Coordinates of all heavy atoms in Angstrom, one line a residue:
Q1251 N 172.8 104.6 105.9 CA 172.9 103.2 105.3 C 172.2 103.1 104.0 O 171.3 103.9 103.8 CB 172.2 102.2 106.2 CG 172.9 102.1 107.6 CD 172.2 101.0 108.5 OE1 171.7 100.0 107.9 NE2 172.2 101.1 109.8
T1252 N 172.6 102.3 103.2 CA 172.0 102.1 101.8 C 170.8 101.4 102.0 O 170.4 100.8 103.0 CB 173.0 101.3 100.9 OG1 173.1 99.9 101.4 CG2 174.3 101.9 100.9
A1253 N 169.9 101.5 101.0 CA 168.6 100.9 101.0 C 168.8 99.3 101.0 O 168.1 98.6 101.6 CB 167.8 101.2 99.7
D1254 N 169.8 98.8 100.3 CA 170.2 97.4 100.4 C 170.4 96.9 101.8 O 169.8 95.9 102.2 CB 171.4 97.1 99.5 CG 171.1 97.2 98.0 OD1 169.9 97.3 97.6 OD2 172.1 97.3 97.3
V1255 N 171.1 97.6 102.5 CA 171.4 97.3 103.9 C 170.2 97.3 104.7 O 169.9 96.4 105.5 CB 172.5 98.1 104.5 CG1 172.7 97.8 106.1 CG2 173.9 97.9 103.9
Q1256 N 169.3 98.3 104.5 CA 168.1 98.4 105.3 C 167.2 97.2 104.9 O 166.6 96.7 105.8 CB 167.6 99.7 105.1 CG 168.2 100.9 105.7 CD 167.6 102.3 105.2 OE1 166.9 102.4 104.3 NE2 168.0 103.3 105.9
M1257 N 167.1 96.9 103.7 CA 166.2 95.8 103.3 C 166.7 94.5 103.8 O 165.9 93.7 104.4 CB 166.1 95.7 101.8 CG 165.2 96.8 101.2 SD 164.9 96.7 99.4 CE 166.6 97.1 98.8
L1258 N 168.0 94.3 103.8 CA 168.6 93.1 104.4 C 168.4 93.0 105.9 O 168.2 91.9 106.5 CB 170.1 92.9 104.0 CG 170.3 92.6 102.5 CD1 171.8 92.8 102.1 CD2 170.0 91.2 102.2
Q1259 N 168.5 94.0 106.5 CA 168.3 94.2 108.0 C 166.8 93.8 108.3 O 166.6 93.2 109.3 CB 168.7 95.5 108.6 CG 170.2 95.7 108.6 CD 170.5 97.2 109.0 OE1 169.8 98.1 108.6 NE2 171.7 97.4 109.7
T1260 N 165.9 94.4 107.5 CA 164.6 94.0 107.8 C 164.3 92.6 107.5 O 163.6 91.9 108.3 CB 163.7 94.9 106.8 OG1 163.9 96.3 107.2 CG2 162.2 94.5 107.0
A1261 N 164.8 92.0 106.5 CA 164.7 90.5 106.2 C 165.2 89.8 107.4 O 164.6 88.8 107.8 CB 165.5 90.2 104.9
T1262 N 166.4 90.2 107.9 CA 167.0 89.5 109.0 C 166.1 89.5 110.2 O 165.9 88.6 110.9 CB 168.4 90.1 109.3 OG1 169.3 90.0 108.3 CG2 169.0 89.4 110.5
S1263 N 165.4 90.7 110.5 CA 164.7 90.8 111.6 C 163.4 89.9 111.5 O 162.8 89.4 112.6 CB 164.2 92.3 111.8 OG 163.3 92.7 111.0
I1264 N 162.9 89.7 110.3 CA 161.7 88.8 110.1 C 162.2 87.4 110.3 O 161.4 86.6 111.0 CB 161.1 89.0 108.7 CG1 160.5 90.4 108.7 CG2 160.1 88.0 108.4 CD1 160.2 90.8 107.2
E1265 N 163.3 87.1 110.0 CA 163.9 85.7 110.1 C 164.1 85.4 111.7 O 163.8 84.4 112.2 CB 165.2 85.4 109.4 CG 165.0 85.5 107.9 CD 164.1 84.5 107.3 OE1 163.7 83.5 107.9 OE2 163.6 84.8 106.1
I1266 N 164.6 86.4 112.4 CA 164.8 86.3 113.8 C 163.5 85.9 114.5 O 163.4 85.1 115.3 CB 165.5 87.5 114.4 CG1 166.9 87.7 113.9 CG2 165.4 87.6 115.9 CD1 167.6 89.0 114.2
L1267 N 162.5 86.7 114.0 CA 161.2 86.5 114.8 C 160.6 85.1 114.3 O 160.1 84.4 115.1 CB 160.1 87.5 114.2 CG 158.7 87.3 114.7 CD1 158.7 87.6 116.2 CD2 157.8 88.2 114.0
A1268 N 160.8 84.7 113.2 CA 160.3 83.4 112.7 C 161.0 82.2 113.6 O 160.3 81.3 114.0 CB 160.5 83.2 111.2
I1269 N 162.3 82.5 113.7 CA 163.0 81.4 114.5 C 162.5 81.3 115.9 O 162.3 80.2 116.4 CB 164.6 81.7 114.5 CG1 165.1 81.6 113.0 CG2 165.4 80.9 115.4 CD1 166.4 82.3 112.8
A1270 N 162.4 82.5 116.5 CA 161.8 82.5 117.9 C 160.5 81.9 118.0 O 160.2 81.2 119.0 CB 161.9 83.9 118.5
T1271 N 159.7 82.2 117.1 CA 158.2 81.7 117.0 C 158.2 80.2 116.9 O 157.5 79.5 117.6 CB 157.4 82.4 116.0 OG1 157.4 83.8 116.2 CG2 156.0 82.0 116.0
Y1272 N 159.0 79.7 115.9 CA 159.1 78.3 115.7 C 159.6 77.5 116.9 O 159.2 76.5 117.3 CB 159.7 77.8 114.4 CG 158.8 78.0 113.2 CD1 158.9 79.1 112.4 CD2 157.7 77.1 113.0 CE1 158.1 79.2 111.4 CE2 156.9 77.3 111.9 CZ 157.1 78.4 111.0 OH 156.3 78.6 110.0
T1273 N 160.6 78.1 117.6 CA 161.3 77.5 118.8 C 160.2 77.5 119.8 O 160.1 76.5 120.5 CB 162.4 78.4 119.2 OG1 163.4 78.4 118.1 CG2 163.1 77.9 120.5
A1274 N 159.5 78.6 120.0 CA 158.4 78.6 121.1 C 157.3 77.6 120.8 O 156.9 76.9 121.7 CB 157.9 80.0 121.3
A1275 N 156.9 77.5 119.4 CA 155.8 76.6 119.1 C 156.2 75.2 119.5 O 155.5 74.3 119.9 CB 155.5 76.7 117.6
L1276 N 157.6 74.8 119.1 CA 158.0 73.5 119.4 C 158.1 73.1 120.8 O 158.1 72.0 121.2 CB 159.4 73.2 118.8 CG 159.3 73.2 117.1 CD1 160.6 73.3 116.6 CD2 158.6 71.9 116.8
G1277 N 158.0 74.2 121.7 CA 158.1 74.0 123.2 C 156.8 74.1 123.9 O 156.7 73.9 125.1
L1278 N 155.7 74.3 123.1 CA 154.4 74.3 123.7 C 154.0 72.9 124.3 O 154.4 71.9 123.8 CB 153.4 74.7 122.7 CG 153.5 76.2 122.3 CD1 152.6 76.4 121.0 CD2 153.1 77.1 123.4
P1279 N 153.3 73.0 125.4 CA 152.9 71.7 126.0 C 152.3 70.5 125.1 O 152.6 69.4 125.3 CB 151.8 72.1 127.0 CG 152.2 73.5 127.3 CD 152.6 74.0 126.0
F1280 N 151.5 71.0 124.1 CA 151.0 70.0 123.2 C 151.8 69.6 122.0 O 151.4 68.9 121.1 CB 149.6 70.5 122.8 CG 149.6 71.8 122.0 CD1 149.8 71.9 120.6 CD2 149.5 73.0 122.6 CE1 149.9 73.0 119.9 CE2 149.4 74.2 122.0 CZ 149.7 74.2 120.6
A1281 N 152.9 70.2 121.8 CA 153.8 70.1 120.6 C 154.2 68.7 120.4 O 154.2 68.2 119.2 CB 154.9 71.0 120.7
G1282 N 154.4 68.0 121.5 CA 154.8 66.6 121.3 C 153.7 65.6 120.7 O 154.0 64.6 120.2
S1283 N 152.4 66.1 120.9 CA 151.4 65.2 120.4 C 150.8 65.7 119.1 O 149.9 65.1 118.5 CB 150.2 65.3 121.4 OG 149.7 66.7 121.5
L1284 N 151.5 66.6 118.5 CA 151.1 67.1 117.1 C 151.5 65.9 116.1 O 152.5 65.2 116.4 CB 152.0 68.3 116.7 CG 151.5 69.6 117.5 CD1 152.5 70.7 117.1 CD2 150.1 70.0 117.1
P1285 N 150.7 65.9 115.0 CA 151.2 64.9 114.1 C 152.6 65.0 113.6 O 153.1 66.2 113.5 CB 150.2 65.1 112.9 CG 149.0 65.8 113.5 CD 149.6 66.6 114.7
K1286 N 153.2 63.9 113.3 CA 154.7 64.0 113.0 C 154.9 64.9 111.8 O 155.9 65.6 111.8 CB 155.1 62.5 112.6 CG 156.5 62.4 112.3 CD 157.4 62.6 113.6 CE 158.9 62.3 113.3 NZ 159.7 62.9 114.2
V1287 N 154.0 64.9 110.8 CA 154.3 65.8 109.7 C 154.3 67.3 110.1 O 155.1 68.1 109.6 CB 153.2 65.6 108.7 CG1 151.8 66.0 109.1 CG2 153.6 66.3 107.3
V1288 N 153.5 67.7 111.1 CA 153.5 69.1 111.6 C 154.8 69.3 112.3 O 155.3 70.4 112.2 CB 152.2 69.3 112.5 CG1 152.2 70.7 113.1 CG2 151.0 69.2 111.6
Q1289 N 155.2 68.4 113.2 CA 156.5 68.6 113.9 C 157.6 68.7 113.0 O 158.4 69.6 113.1 CB 156.7 67.4 114.8 CG 155.6 67.3 116.0 CD 156.0 66.1 116.9 OE1 157.1 65.7 117.0 NE2 154.9 65.6 117.4
T1290 N 157.6 67.9 111.9 CA 158.7 68.0 110.9 C 158.7 69.3 110.2 O 159.7 69.9 109.9 CB 158.6 66.8 109.9 OG1 158.8 65.5 110.7 CG2 159.7 66.8 108.9
F1291 N 157.4 69.7 109.8 CA 157.3 71.1 109.2 C 157.9 72.2 110.0 O 158.7 72.9 109.5 CB 155.8 71.4 108.9 CG 155.6 72.8 108.5 CD1 155.9 73.2 107.2 CD2 155.2 73.7 109.4 CE1 155.7 74.5 106.8 CE2 155.0 75.0 108.9 CZ 155.2 75.4 107.7
A1292 N 157.5 72.2 111.3 CA 158.0 73.3 112.2 C 159.6 73.1 112.4 O 160.3 74.2 112.3 CB 157.4 73.1 113.6
T1293 N 160.1 72.0 112.5 CA 161.5 71.8 112.7 C 162.2 72.2 111.4 O 163.3 73.0 111.4 CB 161.9 70.4 113.1 OG1 161.2 70.1 114.3 CG2 163.3 70.2 113.3
T1294 N 161.8 71.8 110.3 CA 162.5 72.0 109.0 C 162.4 73.5 108.6 O 163.3 74.1 108.2 CB 161.8 71.2 107.9 OG1 161.9 69.8 108.2 CG2 162.4 71.5 106.5
T1295 N 161.2 74.1 108.9 CA 161.0 75.5 108.6 C 161.8 76.4 109.5 O 162.4 77.3 109.0 CB 159.5 75.8 108.8 OG1 158.7 75.0 107.9 CG2 159.2 77.3 108.4
K1296 N 162.0 76.0 110.7 CA 162.8 76.8 111.7 C 164.3 76.7 111.1 O 164.9 77.8 111.1 CB 162.8 76.2 113.1 CG 163.7 76.8 114.1 CD 163.7 76.0 115.4 CE 164.9 76.4 116.2 NZ 165.0 75.7 117.4
Q1297 N 164.8 75.6 110.6 CA 166.0 75.5 110.1 C 166.3 76.3 109.0 O 167.3 77.0 108.7 CB 166.5 74.0 109.9 CG 167.9 73.9 109.4 CD 168.9 74.4 110.4 OE1 169.0 74.0 111.5 NE2 169.8 75.3 109.9
Q1298 N 165.3 76.3 108.1 CA 165.3 77.2 106.8 C 165.4 78.6 107.2 O 166.2 79.5 106.5 CB 164.1 76.9 106.0 CG 164.2 75.5 105.4 CD 162.8 75.1 104.7 OE1 161.8 75.7 104.9 NE2 162.9 74.2 103.8
H1299 N 164.7 79.1 108.1 CA 164.7 80.4 108.7 C 166.0 80.7 109.3 O 166.7 81.9 109.0 CB 163.6 80.8 109.6 CG 162.2 81.0 109.0 ND1 161.9 81.9 108.1 CD2 161.2 80.2 109.1 CE1 160.7 81.8 107.7 NE2 160.2 80.8 108.2
M1300 N 166.7 79.9 109.9 CA 168.0 80.0 110.4 C 169.0 80.2 109.3 O 169.9 81.1 109.4 CB 168.4 78.8 111.4 CG 167.6 78.8 112.6 SD 167.8 77.4 113.7 CE 169.5 77.6 114.2
D1301 N 168.9 79.5 108.2 CA 169.8 79.5 107.1 C 169.6 80.9 106.4 O 170.5 81.5 106.1 CB 169.4 78.4 106.1 CG 169.8 76.9 106.6 OD1 170.6 76.9 107.7 OD2 169.3 76.0 106.1
H1302 N 168.3 81.3 106.3 CA 168.0 82.6 105.7 C 168.7 83.7 106.5 O 169.2 84.6 106.0 CB 166.5 82.8 105.5 CG 165.9 81.8 104.6 ND1 164.5 81.5 104.7 CD2 166.4 81.0 103.7 CE1 164.2 80.6 103.8 NE2 165.3 80.2 103.2
M1303 N 168.5 83.7 107.7 CA 169.0 84.7 108.7 C 170.5 84.8 108.5 O 171.0 85.9 108.4 CB 168.6 84.4 110.2 CG 169.2 85.4 111.1 SD 169.1 85.0 112.9 CE 170.3 83.8 112.9
S1304 N 171.1 83.7 108.5 CA 172.6 83.6 108.3 C 173.1 84.3 107.0 O 173.9 85.1 106.9 CB 173.2 82.2 108.4 OG 173.0 81.7 109.8
A1305 N 172.3 84.0 105.9 CA 172.7 84.6 104.6 C 172.3 86.0 104.6 O 173.2 86.8 104.1 CB 171.8 83.8 103.6
F1306 N 171.3 86.5 105.1 CA 171.0 87.9 105.1 C 172.0 88.6 106.0 O 172.5 89.7 105.7 CB 169.6 88.2 105.7 CG 168.5 87.8 104.8 CD1 167.3 87.2 105.2 CD2 168.5 88.0 103.4 CE1 166.3 86.8 104.5 CE2 167.6 87.6 102.5 CZ 166.4 87.0 103.0
S1307 N 172.4 88.0 107.1 CA 173.3 88.7 108.0 C 174.7 88.8 107.4 O 175.4 89.8 107.6 CB 173.5 87.9 109.3 OG 172.2 87.9 110.1
A1308 N 175.1 87.8 106.7 CA 176.3 87.8 106.0 C 176.4 88.9 104.9 O 177.4 89.6 104.7 CB 176.7 86.5 105.4
A1309 N 175.3 89.0 104.2 CA 175.2 90.1 103.2 C 175.2 91.5 103.8 O 175.9 92.4 103.2 CB 173.8 89.9 102.4
V1310 N 174.6 91.7 105.0 CA 174.6 93.0 105.6 C 176.1 93.3 106.1 O 176.5 94.4 105.8 CB 173.7 93.0 107.0 CG1 174.0 94.2 107.8 CG2 172.3 93.0 106.6
K1311 N 176.8 92.3 106.5 CA 178.1 92.5 107.0 C 179.0 92.8 105.7 O 179.8 93.6 105.9 CB 178.7 91.2 107.7 CG 180.1 91.3 108.2 CD 180.5 90.1 108.9 CE 181.9 90.3 109.5 NZ 182.4 89.1 110.2
A1312 N 178.8 92.1 104.6 CA 179.6 92.3 103.5 C 179.4 93.7 102.9 O 180.3 94.3 102.3 CB 179.2 91.3 102.3
L1313 N 178.2 94.3 103.2 CA 177.9 95.6 102.7 C 178.3 96.7 103.7 O 178.1 97.9 103.5 CB 176.5 95.8 102.4 CG 176.1 95.0 101.0 CD1 174.5 95.1 101.0 CD2 176.7 95.5 99.9
G1314 N 178.9 96.3 104.8 CA 179.4 97.2 105.8 C 178.3 97.7 106.8 O 178.6 98.7 107.5
G1315 N 177.2 97.0 106.8 CA 176.0 97.4 107.7 C 176.2 96.8 109.1 O 177.0 95.9 109.3
K1316 N 175.4 97.4 110.0 CA 175.4 96.9 111.4 C 174.5 95.7 111.4 O 173.5 95.6 110.9 CB 174.7 98.0 112.2 CG 174.6 97.6 113.7 CD 174.1 98.8 114.5 CE 173.8 98.3 115.9 NZ 172.8 99.1 116.6
A1317 N 174.9 94.7 112.2 CA 174.1 93.5 112.4 C 172.8 93.7 113.0 O 172.7 94.5 113.9 CB 174.9 92.5 113.3
Q1318 N 171.8 93.0 112.4 CA 170.4 93.2 113.0 C 170.2 92.0 113.9 O 170.4 90.9 113.6 CB 169.4 93.0 111.9 CG 167.9 93.1 112.3 CD 167.6 94.3 113.0 OE1 168.0 95.4 112.6 NE2 166.8 94.3 114.0
T1319 N 169.8 92.3 115.2 CA 169.7 91.3 116.3 C 168.3 91.2 116.8 O 168.1 90.4 117.7 CB 170.8 91.5 117.4 OG1 170.6 92.7 117.9 CG2 172.2 91.3 116.8
N1320 N 167.4 92.1 116.5 CA 166.1 92.2 117.1 C 165.1 91.7 116.1 O 165.2 92.0 114.8 CB 165.8 93.7 117.5 CG 166.7 94.1 118.7 OD1 167.0 93.3 119.6 ND2 167.2 95.2 118.5
P1321 N 164.0 91.1 116.6 CA 162.9 90.8 115.6 C 162.2 92.0 115.1 O 162.1 93.0 115.8 CB 161.9 89.9 116.5 CG 162.2 90.3 117.9 CD 163.7 90.8 117.9
D1322 N 161.5 91.7 114.0 CA 160.6 92.8 113.4 C 159.6 93.2 114.4 O 158.8 92.3 114.9 CB 160.0 92.3 112.1 CG 159.2 93.3 111.4 OD1 158.0 93.4 111.9 OD2 159.6 94.0 110.5
P1323 N 159.5 94.5 114.8 CA 158.6 95.0 115.8 C 157.0 94.7 115.5 O 156.2 94.4 116.3 CB 158.9 96.4 116.0 CG 159.7 96.8 114.9 CD 160.3 95.7 114.3
V1324 N 156.7 95.0 114.2 CA 155.3 94.8 113.8 C 154.9 93.4 113.9 O 153.9 93.1 114.5 CB 155.1 95.3 112.3 CG1 153.7 95.1 111.9 CG2 155.5 96.9 112.3
L1325 N 155.6 92.5 113.4 CA 155.3 91.1 113.4 C 155.5 90.6 114.8 O 154.7 89.7 115.2 CB 156.1 90.3 112.4 CG 155.9 90.6 110.9 CD1 156.7 89.7 110.1 CD2 154.4 90.2 110.6
L1326 N 156.4 91.0 115.6 CA 156.4 90.6 117.0 C 155.2 90.9 117.8 O 154.7 90.1 118.5 CB 157.7 91.4 117.8 CG 158.0 91.0 119.2 CD1 158.1 89.5 119.4 CD2 159.0 91.8 119.7
D1327 N 154.5 92.1 117.4 CA 153.3 92.4 118.0 C 152.2 91.3 117.6 O 151.4 90.9 118.5 CB 152.8 93.8 117.7 CG 151.6 94.3 118.4 OD1 151.6 94.1 119.7 OD2 150.6 94.8 117.8
V1328 N 152.3 90.9 116.4 CA 151.3 89.8 115.9 C 151.5 88.5 116.8 O 150.6 87.9 117.1 CB 151.5 89.6 114.4 CG1 150.6 88.4 113.9 CG2 151.0 90.9 113.6
V1329 N 152.7 88.2 116.9 CA 153.1 87.0 117.6 C 152.7 87.1 119.1 O 152.0 86.2 119.7 CB 154.6 86.7 117.5 CG1 154.9 85.4 118.4 CG2 154.9 86.2 116.0
N1330 N 153.0 88.1 119.7 CA 152.7 88.4 121.1 C 151.2 88.3 121.4 O 150.7 87.8 122.4 CB 153.2 89.7 121.6 CG 154.8 89.6 121.9 OD1 155.3 88.5 122.0 ND2 155.4 90.7 121.7
K1331 N 150.4 88.9 120.4 CA 149.0 88.9 120.6 C 148.4 87.4 120.5 O 147.4 87.1 121.0 CB 148.3 89.8 119.6 CG 148.4 91.3 120.0 CD 147.9 92.2 118.9 CE 148.1 93.6 119.4 NZ 147.6 94.6 118.4
A1332 N 149.0 86.6 119.6 CA 148.6 85.3 119.3 C 148.9 84.4 120.4 O 148.3 83.4 120.6 CB 149.2 84.8 117.9
K1333 N 150.0 84.6 121.1 CA 150.5 83.6 122.1 C 149.4 83.1 123.1 O 149.4 81.8 123.3 CB 151.7 84.2 122.9 CG 153.1 84.1 122.1 CD 154.1 84.8 123.1 CE 155.4 84.7 122.2 NZ 156.6 85.3 123.1
P1334 N 148.7 83.9 123.7 CA 147.7 83.4 124.6 C 146.7 82.4 124.0 O 146.1 81.5 124.7 CB 146.9 84.6 125.2 CG 147.8 85.8 124.9 CD 148.6 85.4 123.6
G1335 N 146.5 82.6 122.7 CA 145.5 81.7 122.0 C 146.2 80.3 121.5 O 145.4 79.5 120.8
L1336 N 147.5 80.2 121.7 CA 148.1 79.0 121.2 C 147.9 77.7 122.1 O 148.7 77.4 122.9 CB 149.6 79.2 121.0 CG 149.9 80.3 120.0 CD1 151.4 80.5 119.9 CD2 149.3 80.0 118.6
T1337 N 146.6 77.3 122.1 CA 146.2 76.2 123.0 C 146.1 74.9 122.3 O 145.7 73.9 122.9 CB 144.9 76.6 123.7 OG1 144.0 76.9 122.7 CG2 145.1 77.8 124.5
G1338 N 146.3 74.9 121.0 CA 146.2 73.6 120.3 C 146.8 73.8 118.9 O 147.2 74.8 118.4
P1339 N 146.7 72.8 118.1 CA 147.3 72.8 116.7 C 146.6 73.8 115.7 O 147.3 74.4 115.0 CB 147.1 71.3 116.2 CG 146.7 70.5 117.4 CD 146.2 71.5 118.4
V1340 N 145.4 73.9 115.7 CA 144.7 74.9 114.8 C 145.3 76.3 114.9 O 145.7 76.9 114.0 CB 143.2 74.7 114.8 CG1 142.5 75.9 114.0 CG2 142.7 73.4 114.5
P1341 N 145.2 77.0 116.2 CA 145.7 78.4 116.2 C 147.3 78.3 115.9 O 147.7 79.4 115.4 CB 145.4 78.8 117.7 CG 144.8 77.6 118.4 CD 144.6 76.5 117.4
L1342 N 147.9 77.3 116.2 CA 149.4 77.3 115.9 C 149.6 77.3 114.5 O 150.4 78.1 113.9 CB 150.0 76.0 116.6 CG 151.5 76.0 116.3 CD1 152.2 77.1 116.9 CD2 152.0 74.6 117.0
V1343 N 148.9 76.5 113.7 CA 149.0 76.5 112.2 C 148.5 77.8 111.7 O 149.2 78.3 110.7 CB 148.2 75.3 111.6 CG1 148.2 75.3 110.2 CG2 148.9 73.9 112.1
E1344 N 147.6 78.4 112.1 CA 147.0 79.7 111.7 C 148.2 80.9 111.8 O 148.4 81.6 111.0 CB 145.7 80.1 112.4 CG 144.6 79.2 112.0 CD 143.4 79.5 112.8 OE1 143.4 80.2 113.9 OE2 142.2 79.1 112.3
L1345 N 148.8 80.7 113.0 CA 149.9 81.7 113.3 C 151.0 81.5 112.3 O 151.6 82.5 111.7 CB 150.4 81.6 114.7 CG 151.6 82.5 115.0 CD1 151.3 84.0 114.8 CD2 152.1 82.4 116.5
A1346 N 151.4 80.2 112.0 CA 152.4 79.9 111.1 C 152.1 80.3 109.6 O 153.0 81.0 109.0 CB 152.7 78.4 111.1
I1347 N 150.9 80.2 109.3 CA 150.4 80.7 108.0 C 150.5 82.3 107.9 O 151.0 82.8 106.9 CB 148.9 80.2 107.7 CG1 149.0 78.7 107.4 CG2 148.4 80.9 106.4 CD1 147.6 78.0 107.5
T1348 N 150.1 82.8 109.0 CA 150.1 84.3 109.0 C 151.7 84.8 108.8 O 151.9 85.7 108.1 CB 149.6 84.8 110.4 OG1 148.2 84.6 110.4 CG2 149.7 86.4 110.4
L1349 N 152.6 84.3 109.5 CA 154.0 84.6 109.5 C 154.6 84.3 108.1 O 155.3 85.0 107.6 CB 154.8 84.0 110.6 CG 154.4 84.4 112.0 CD1 155.3 83.6 113.1 CD2 154.7 85.9 112.2
E1350 N 154.2 83.2 107.6 CA 154.8 82.8 106.3 C 154.2 83.6 105.1 O 154.9 83.7 104.1 CB 154.5 81.3 106.1 CG 155.3 80.4 107.0 CD 156.8 80.5 107.0 OE1 157.4 80.8 105.9 OE2 157.4 80.4 108.1
M1351 N 153.0 84.1 105.4 CA 152.4 85.0 104.3 C 153.1 86.4 104.4 O 153.1 87.1 103.5 CB 151.0 85.1 104.4 CG 150.2 83.7 104.2 SD 150.7 82.9 102.7 CE 149.5 83.6 101.6

């Protein structure tokens, strides 16, 4: 595969992870009690990641590459380690910042 395809597949895998993480965050027991601005941020950011994933996937396909369907394994480990500590808004926002950086 070309370097372009590999970079786009990596970008897609990061977007897949972000989508799954924001989806899980919005389903946490305390998510409904988060300030409206935080809920809006999470929902909007999730949609933006979905848009990015679609664009990267289309570019991979246009270049003849194989579709990427799995999340980035390194960042998945970060998310999995953070999950038990997602008991309130502060750790949730800290995880979002980590992923966005």
Side-chain angles (χ1 to χ4, degrees):
Q1251 294 186 28
T1252 67
D1254 290 340
V1255 169
Q1256 290 174 345
M1257 287 186 287
L1258 288 164
Q1259 288 171 326
T1260 298
T1262 303
S1263 73
I1264 293 169
E1265 298 300 340
I1266 290 168
L1267 178 67
I1269 294 162
T1271 302
Y1272 281 103
T1273 299
L1276 289 164
L1278 290 170
F1280 60 85
S1283 63
L1284 291 170
K1286 184 70 175 163
V1287 68
V1288 175
Q1289 292 179 34
T1290 300
F1291 168 81
T1293 302
T1294 301
T1295 303
K1296 176 185 165 187
Q1297 183 58 55
Q1298 290 169 340
H1299 285 295
M1300 291 172 69
D1301 295 342
H1302 299 159
M1303 182 193 69
S1304 294
F1306 291 139
S1307 294
V1310 167
K1311 184 178 179 181
L1313 292 173
K1316 181 182 172 196
Q1318 176 64 40
T1319 58
N1320 295 315
D1322 180 273
V1324 173
L1325 291 176
L1326 179 60
D1327 188 50
V1328 171
V1329 171
N1330 286 337
K1331 287 178 180 175
K1333 280 182 182 178
L1336 297 179
T1337 57
V1340 172
L1342 180 60
V1343 171
E1344 289 171 348
L1345 176 59
I1347 290 169
T1348 298
L1349 291 178
E1350 294 299 330
M1351 297 304 275

